[in-house]
Amino acid sequence: EVQLVESGGGFVQPGGSLRLSCAASGFTFSTYWIHWVRQAPGKGLVWVSRINGDGSSTNYADSVKGRFTISRDNAKNTLYLQMNSLRAEDTAVYYCARAQNYGGYSFDYWGRGTLVTVSS
Amino acid sequence: SYVLTQPPSVSVAPGKTARITCGGNNIGNNSVHWYQQKPGQAPVLVVYDDSDRPSGIPERFSGSNSGNTATLTISRVEAGDEADYYCQVWDISSDHWVFGGGTKLTVL
């Protein structure tokens, strides 16, 4: 059974840092692109970042570029999101999601999310 | 950046058909995916690549995509279909994934 489990969320002051993790199981982790998607309280889904299977290619939404870094450890089947210079508007539930390897690369499995709260 | 536009809300009576639209410039040239999200839960993929259904998704869920509009159609709507629905595409030009603003489906 495919599972994605996020952790690392919490409360942080503006300007602070946090590292999220996403532990994967039930599939060959290294062969899939993985994404981070966030959802502010009461708002819609927003794509944040993605990384390819071997970690050699990444991309970011403009709102987080230069502040967030996505990475992965395929030996540990784990995805990371290092978040620096956090702002109040980064407050959200952060989901990791697996992208299908074909077609339009839809997100076929999602974790339950981890909440990040940025506030003074 | 590519923009997807959804109506904020759609209401439908049980047993009827709900149609949720997703507008975008020449969206017919993209593969569109649809997600269902119930309160407090993670999104679930219900339609991918315009009209394909993942295993376990009822045949009542279908999709189409042409021109500037993609549509998610839910036939014989049930109370359990009440949720937020999001469309999504991969904007190849920017290598960004884009979500629509979401549509709240209310079953009357």
Side-chain angles (χ1 to χ4, degrees):
Chain A
E1 178 192 8
V2 172
Q3 283 199 328
L4 298 167
V5 179
E6 303 93 338
S7 61
F11 188 95
V12 62
Q13 292 187 336
S17 297
L18 213 55
R19 189 176 83 154
L20 306 183
S21 299
C22 170
S25 61
F27 64 101
T28 305
F29 182 66
S30 62
T31 63
Y32 285 86
W33 289 28
I34 310 291
H35 298 251
W36 287 102
V37 176
R38 70 184 182 184
Q39 186 171 35
K43 302 296 185 182
L45 302 173
V46 176
W47 176 77
V48 172
S49 181
R50 67 92 178 148
I51 188 166
N52 70 341
D54 65 8
S56 62
S57 175
T58 60
N59 205 357
Y60 302 89
D62 293 345
S63 58
V64 306
K65 198 167 190 176
R67 300 187 300 123
F68 290 12
T69 302
I70 190 172
S71 63
R72 65 193 296 162
D73 184 338
N74 287 343
K76 296 182 177 179
N77 288 349
T78 303
L79 172 78
Y80 302 101
L81 186 68
Q82 178 66 43
M83 304 186 296
N84 298 331
S85 304
L86 283 162
R87 307 166 180 167
E89 53 265 36
D90 296 319
T91 294
V93 173
Y94 285 73
Y95 297 99
C96 59
R98 187 185 86 165
Q100 293 197 76
N101 281 337
Y102 55 88
Y105 307 103
S106 59
F107 298 174
D108 59 353
Y109 286 93
W110 297 63
R112 291 188 172 184
T114 186
L115 176 62
V116 173
T117 303
V118 184
S119 175
S120 55
Chain B
S1 60
Y2 196 74
V3 176
L4 296 175
T5 302
Q6 298 182 235
S9 63
V10 168
S11 299
V12 63
K16 300 299 186 183
T17 298
R19 293 179 179 85
I20 299 173
T21 59
C22 177
N25 186 36
N26 292 320
I27 195 174
N29 294 334
N30 297 80
S31 289
V32 178
H33 319 304
W34 292 91
Y35 302 88
Q36 175 194 70
Q37 186 182 33
K38 296 182 179 180
Q41 298 184 19
V44 173
L45 180 67
V46 293
V47 168
Y48 67 96
D49 293 353
D50 297 340
S51 58
D52 290 333
R53 274 187 318 277
S55 60
I57 300 300
E59 291 184 5
R60 301 185 297 104
F61 289 81
S62 62
S64 63
N65 183 20
S66 179
N68 292 316
T69 304
T71 303
L72 173 69
T73 302
I74 309 172
S75 304
R76 302 181 299 283
V77 167
E78 303 173 357
D81 298 332
E82 191 163 278
D84 294 325
Y85 291 84
Y86 295 90
C87 59
Q88 180 206 35
V89 301
W90 175 35
D91 179 18
I92 295 176
S93 63
S94 64
D95 188 25
H96 286 190
W97 274 253
V98 181
F99 288 96
T103 298
K104 181 176 181 57
L105 176 67
T106 299
V107 181
L108 301 171

